[in-house]
Amino acid sequence: MTDLKATATQIRRDIVRMVHAAQSGHPGGSLGCADFFTALYFNAMQHNPDFHMDGINEDIFFLSNGHISPVFYSALARSGYFPLEELNTFRKLNSRLQGHPTTHEHLPGVRVASGSLGQGMSVAIGAALAKKLNKDTHLVYSLHGDGELDEGQNWEAIMSAPNLHVDNLISTIDWNGQQIDGPTDKVMAQGDLRQKFEVFGWLTLLCNGNDMDEMVATLAKAKTMTGQGKPVAILMHTLMGKGVDYMEGHHEWHGTAPNDDQLKKALAQLPETLGDY
């Protein structure tokens, strides 16, 4: 657990450095989801950094809220999908690390373009059904933003999954209560998301996504709930900007890059644990 926490801290450090260097990107949600990505890629998921697009005989992951690409890229690089030094190219011309992940750059670890919100659930369900057809017993994981659930396509997909008996899917919702225009309750009040998923026929878990012990335990529990005829949803409470005090809980940091002084303050709170790229 100590190693996982150290990895999450380094990933947070990577995030603020990447966004600062590009003076563009989305640090808030990325910082909030660093513990989830660490627990997923370094503990829960059976995956192969020797990347093959078809993902046969391994667990696969889809990032639906693609704007939090900094945390995704850092997790992929830190787990061996591509060289750490490539993080220096984030959002630069001709880089494989674009602001929203795409497939035409052929970046290892990216299986779908996710620049347009609301589509990842449909993709994840399709991949889970394909695994069943292929008699592949591995799992499909996905991550979605709570603000992203304003997109209606999500709910058509969420309704379909239990009816199609998609029980090899674990979808996590980053329930941080913030989106680009403000608090989700003010932009589009969603009510009790856990209750909504349960009414649609999903098995659900609730967790603190910024507590590593709880995050690891929740993903482990979710895996035991697969194979029961229903998909599994994790409703994950996180704090936008987690780890950088002046960013925490503020929607303004959804898509704002820190300046030089703000970067120094952030890095002072995020000690270098695994070595900077």
Side-chain angles (χ1 to χ4, degrees), residues 8-9 11-16 26-36 68 70-71 174 209-210 238-244 247-248 253 266 270:
T9 297
I11 285 176
R12 287 190 166 96
R13 189 176 171 92
D14 291 347
I15 291 164
V16 294
H26 296 78
S30 295
L31 291 166
C33 288
D35 303 294
F36 167 79
I68 65 167
V71 64
D174 179 20
N210 294 138
T238 69
L239 186 62
M240 178 170 280
K242 178 67 177 178
V244 179
M247 293 187 186
E248 289 184 348
W253 288 99
L270 300 168

Side-chain angles (χ1 to χ4, degrees), residues 39-55:
L40 183 69
Y41 273 88
F42 295 88
N43 183 267
M45 195 164 66
Q46 298 178 23
H47 61 104
N48 184 6
D50 182 16
F51 182 69
H52 298 281
M53 181 61 84
D54 57 21

